[in-house]
Structures are given as C-alpha cells and as structure tokens.
Amino acid sequence: MPSPSQQIARLHSLIPEGVKLLAVSKFHPAEAIADAYAGGQRLFGESRAQELAAKAQVLPEDICWHFIGHLQTNKVKQVVEHAAVVESIDSLKLLHAVDEAARRAGKVVGVLLQVHVAREETKFGFLPEEMTEAAAEARHLEGVKLLGVMGMASNTDDQSRVASDFKAIRGCFDSLRAGVMAGCEDFTVVSMGMSGDWPLAVECGSNLVRIGSDIFGVRNY
Ligand SMILES: *Cc1c(COP(=O)(O)O)cnc(C)c1O
C-alpha cells in the first residue's frame, strides 16, 4: 500500500486544475495525517466531533479542517473550535447553532448547505426546494459564511443515476448563485465526489472532492 502522501500525489496528477482535494482522514490515526501533511496536504475532513478535536490538538495548526459528518447540536461548540468549514449543514436548527457558537467564539465559520438528492443513502440534508430558504437565512448570519453546497450521490452501480444526482446538486448551487446568493463572491464551492465516484462528480461540476479510502486505505469500523 502506497503512503497517504504518495496517494495524494497520484490523485493530484489526475484531478483537474480548479478542483480541490479534501483528504478524508476519519478513523485513521494522526500519524497517517502527518504523512499527508508532510507531503503538502493541508485540507482534511473529519466526521466526528471528538475525533476532530483529538487530532486537531496534536497536529499542526495550519491544517484546514472540514467537518463532513452529521452534527448534533450538543457537539457544535467542539466542532466550531477546530473546523474552518462545516460542510454538513443539514437543518436550519444546526445552521443557527453553528452561527451562535461561532459568534460566541469570536469567529466566522465557513458552511456548506448539504442537499439531499440520493434516494437511499442518508436522510440528512435539505431538499432542493428548501435550499433557497436555507441560503436566505444563512446570508444574514454573522457567525457563518455560506460558501456553497455539499452532496452525495445514491450508492448504486447505475452511473446514469449517480450522474443525475450530481447534476441535481450542481443545479442547486447554480440556482442559488443566480438567485439568493447573486453577487456573493465567496459562494463558490460545490463539494461532491468520493473515492468511488469523484471523476464523474468532477464531470458534473464538482470543485471539491472528498476522498478517504483512496488515500488512507480501507477504514476499520
Ligand atoms: C467518509 C466520507 C467521504 C469519503 O469516502 P471514501 O469513499 O472513503 O472516499 C466523503 N464524504 C463524506 C460525507 C464521508 O462521510
């Protein structure tokens, strides 16, 4: 098995320019992250509050952590302390909790609205028709900066289904950008694509891919 930094170098040779790589390090030890860091990677994704806190405390401060898991409001404070971006904003309640925790901590946290298009994968996220209201709400909050959208495709071998999910996520981003987020220069991020489906996600308009197992190997959980 090549090292994480070797895998990242290989991915960078494949991923087109303009598409960022989030190294999803959940369930992998700090040593693996340190190897990727030594190779120049700075963008890492975690999905559990305590795990993020534990790793952030022992790893370099210039790592940019994205939180990508379902977040309960009682864990928000811990996540806000460490994460630059919370990608998994899936309810108005969570949006407001992150805003409040960020303002209390005297910071501004980047957020992505998670859109729910996949059929079976997860019940989390806003429906496409709920996105405008959520974005309009987020725009006015001082503790968060709305940077874009995040989503997952259905977990299926049916490539046309996966492509149509990705296009629906990208479509949500485009209509927000043309509508309620018009003129917001920071609203730029379309986070979609994982180890198994990122090339298709990029074809469908992703500019941030979240890759775990292709970098760190299979997770034991
Ligand atoms: C775990 C996870 C990933 C990475 O998945 P891999 O298949 O290991 O690349 C991406 N996005 C989210 C939201 C995840 O939870």
Side-chain angles (χ1 to χ4, degrees), residues 109-126:
V109 174
V111 294
L112 305 184
L113 297 176
Q114 183 171 351
V115 53
H116 175 73
V117 295
R119 242 166 229 173
E120 71 298 287
E121 263 314 270
T122 162
K123 56 186 185 296
F124 300 120
F126 296 98

Side-chain angles (χ1 to χ4, degrees), residues 22-28 46-47 67-70 87-88 114 150-152 191 193-198 209-215 217-219 221:
L22 181 76
V24 176
S25 47
K26 64 186 184 193
F27 304 106
H28 290 282
E46 288 286 336
S47 61
F67 191 82
I68 61 171
H70 178 60
E87 296 200 10
S88 43
Q114 183 171 351
M150 178 273 241
M152 271 171 267
S191 171
M194 324 202 302
S195 293
D197 58 16
W198 72 262
V209 292
R210 309 179 306 266
I211 300 183
S213 25
D214 269 6
I215 294 172
V218 289
R219 294 178 289 271
Y221 63 98

Side-chain angles (χ1 to χ4, degrees), residues 129-192:
E129 59 267 30
E130 298 170 332
M131 293 289 277
T132 297
E133 185 200 345
E137 194 98 5
R139 266 194 73 147
H140 298 295
L141 302 177
E142 284 171 9
V144 298
K145 181 170 280 183
L146 181 55
L147 303 175
V149 307
M150 178 273 241
M152 271 171 267
S154 303
N155 185 14
T156 168
D157 291 334
D158 178 358
Q159 293 302 290
S160 65
R161 172 74 210 179
V162 173
S164 79
D165 286 349
F166 284 143
K167 284 174 191 160
I169 297 163
R170 174 71 204 205
C172 284
F173 171 80
D174 288 335
S175 54
L176 293 179
R177 192 175 52 173
V180 67
M181 298 306 290
C184 297
E185 280 174 21
D186 296 316
F187 190 76
T188 56
V189 180
V190 182
S191 171
M192 54 187 197

Side-chain angles (χ1 to χ4, degrees), residues 2-21:
S3 70
S5 54
Q6 287 169 327
Q7 290 294 69
I8 287 170
R10 187 185 66 87
L11 281 163
H12 274 304
S13 73
L14 302 173
I15 294 171
E17 243 188 82
V19 178
K20 285 188 184 164
L21 169 60

Side-chain angles (χ1 to χ4, degrees), residues 38-58:
Q41 181 71 21
R42 292 294 179 271
L43 210 51
F44 291 90
E46 288 286 336
S47 61
R48 291 180 180 187
Q50 261 147 342
E51 192 177 339
L52 167 62
K55 288 172 177 173
Q57 275 155 17
V58 300

